[in-house]
Amino acid sequence: MSTELPESAVPPPTGAGESAPAPTRRTFIATSAAVGGAVVAGGTFLTGPEEATAAEAPPSSRVSLTVNGTRRTMTVDNRTSLLDLLREHLDLTGSKKGCNAGACGACTVLVDGHRVNSCLTLAVRLEGAEVTTIEGLAEGERLHPLQQAFIDEDAFQCGYCTPGQIVSGVGCIQEGHTGSPEEIREWMSGNICRCGCYVKIVRAVEQTVGRK
């Protein structure tokens, strides 16, 4: 009985001068995946647990500041904004996160008596500073005069921007920029009211400074 294979089943001979067959798409993908896995595995092998932990832990700092008359000391991520510190760490949610880009003024607070957009201010840069939020304006049950003026003049509608408007108005009064309605509008132009209560807001500031 013959054991010869039919001609069609015999693999063609490969001579010394012949090149290897070109890789197929399947072979190329499989090879690339294997090489990539080896590189990743090699990277994991070279990085020890200490280096991996250090890479994952964000840099943090200890900061002490006075918020509404109370001294606060805490350790925070260096990237934490003053707004997030107030809202998420101290539960002072009166300051609102509107645009989170310094364009609307809903997050306005006073830092050492000056108006700032707390969403753009890094908390770790305020070591020793004194911060006043909307929660710190009233004295117990007695509202700040500008808070009362906002009620008297009906200077709000949805109320979302109101804390920032009031704090900004207090800063505007302290800075002495209340000589006329035009001056008040100019120096409070960074605080946006989407409900359009600007006329009544100006009246509330005028009432507070005794010009109305």
Side-chain angles (χ1 to χ4, degrees):
M1 184 176 179
S2 174
T3 56
E4 278 191 9
L5 294 175
E7 186 176 348
S8 59
V10 178
T14 51
E18 295 183 10
S19 59
T24 64
R25 181 173 178 272
R26 185 187 302 274
T27 305
F28 175 76
I29 293 176
T31 305
S32 299
V35 173
V39 171
V40 172
T44 304
F45 177 78
L46 292 176
T47 303
E50 296 82 4
E51 291 82 356
T53 303
E56 293 172 3
S60 59
S61 298
R62 191 172 179 84
V63 59
S64 295
L65 63 163
T66 301
V67 181
N68 298 331
T70 302
R71 191 70 171 176
R72 304 280 191 168
T73 301
M74 65 205 75
T75 300
V76 295
D77 186 323
N78 288 350
R79 300 164 295 181
T80 302
S81 68
L82 174 57
L83 178 60
D84 287 339
L85 176 74
L86 295 171
R87 292 180 59 84
E88 299 176 13
H89 294 262
L90 301 180
D91 200 28
L92 295 172
T93 56
S95 304
K96 303 304 182 187
K97 181 176 284 191
C99 64
N100 205 32
C104 72
C107 67
T108 304
V109 299
L110 300 178
V111 176
D112 294 331
H114 301 286
R115 294 177 285 174
V116 301
N117 291 319
S118 58
C119 71
L120 297 182
T121 305
L122 289 176
V124 294
R125 299 188 65 183
L126 299 180
E127 178 65 31
E130 184 171 341
V131 179
T132 303
T133 71
I134 187 67
E135 292 91 344
L137 293 180
E139 296 180 5
E141 297 296 320
R142 182 182 179 185
L143 295 178
H144 186 281
L146 186 55
Q147 289 176 306
Q148 185 61 54
F150 263 66
I151 296 173
D152 296 341
E153 296 293 340
D154 194 23
F156 52 88
Q157 190 167 321
C158 78
Y160 195 83
C161 75
T162 304
Q165 296 280 2
I166 292 176
V167 173
S168 183
V170 170
C172 188
I173 293 170
Q174 292 177 351
E175 295 161 11
H177 300 303
T178 58
S180 66
E182 293 75 21
E183 186 178 12
I184 294 171
R185 282 195 287 268
E186 173 67 24
W187 286 91
M188 289 190 63
S189 59
N191 291 80
I192 297 174
C193 175
R194 298 190 184 278
C195 300
C197 297
Y198 297 112
V199 172
K200 295 180 179 180
I201 290 172
V202 172
R203 289 176 181 171
V205 175
E206 289 185 296
Q207 174 182 317
T208 305
V209 295
R211 293 185 56 247
K212 181 179 180 299

